Amino acid sequence: MRFFFLTAEHLGNYDPVTIAQDLTRIKRSCSRVWIKSSAPSVEGYKQIEVGLSRAILEGLGSNLMSLELGWNCCGDEGATNLGAVLCDCTSLTQLDLSHNGIGPEGATNLA
């Protein structure tokens, strides 16, 4: 089991573009992605989301069991976009989107 683990305390020189690039590299080698409080803004989260979506579509989704994206400024738009690719996560058993400002519209679209 491999992890992609990143929190605000571990950011160092990371920026959302670098995180997105790393996510596209992990593809099938990872079963747990944990990115907490790593997006400094909605725009930063969008960049992470693009990398995550690409990685899911390129094979990460078949092995991904846990996706934790709490505290990342996701909002309704991010939840909607994430919902569009989560159907490819056939082994996903845990999803954490807590504290992302997701309202009824985003939750509906995520489901």
Side-chain angles (χ1 to χ4, degrees):
M1 181 181 292
R2 292 193 165 178
F3 303 100
F4 183 91
F5 179 80
L6 186 64
T7 65
E9 300 85 34
H10 297 97
L11 271 176
N13 293 327
Y14 271 90
D15 58 61
V17 174
T18 304
I19 295 168
Q21 291 168 346
D22 285 351
L23 285 167
T24 60
R25 286 188 201 107
I26 60 176
K27 296 181 186 171
R28 295 182 183 197
S29 66
C30 190
S31 62
R32 183 176 182 191
V33 173
W34 184 351
I35 303 174
K36 299 256 184 187
S37 302
S38 298
S41 66
V42 172
E43 193 56 42
Y45 174 76
K46 286 180 183 178
Q47 292 173 338
I48 293 171
E49 182 184 304
V50 167
L52 181 58
S53 296
R54 187 178 305 132
I56 287 171
L57 293 174
E58 291 178 1
L60 174 65
S62 62
N63 291 326
L64 188 63
M65 297 174 64
S66 178
L67 179 58
E68 300 177 42
L69 297 172
W71 299 90
N72 273 304
C73 304
C74 174
D76 287 335
E77 182 181 358
T80 298
N81 295 337
L82 192 56
V85 296
L86 284 181
C87 59
D88 289 328
C89 295
T90 54
S91 57
L92 188 68
T93 58
Q94 180 180 355
L95 176 64
D96 176 8
L97 292 172
S98 60
H99 305 284
N100 271 298
I102 299 172
E105 178 185 349
T108 299
N109 293 334
L110 184 60

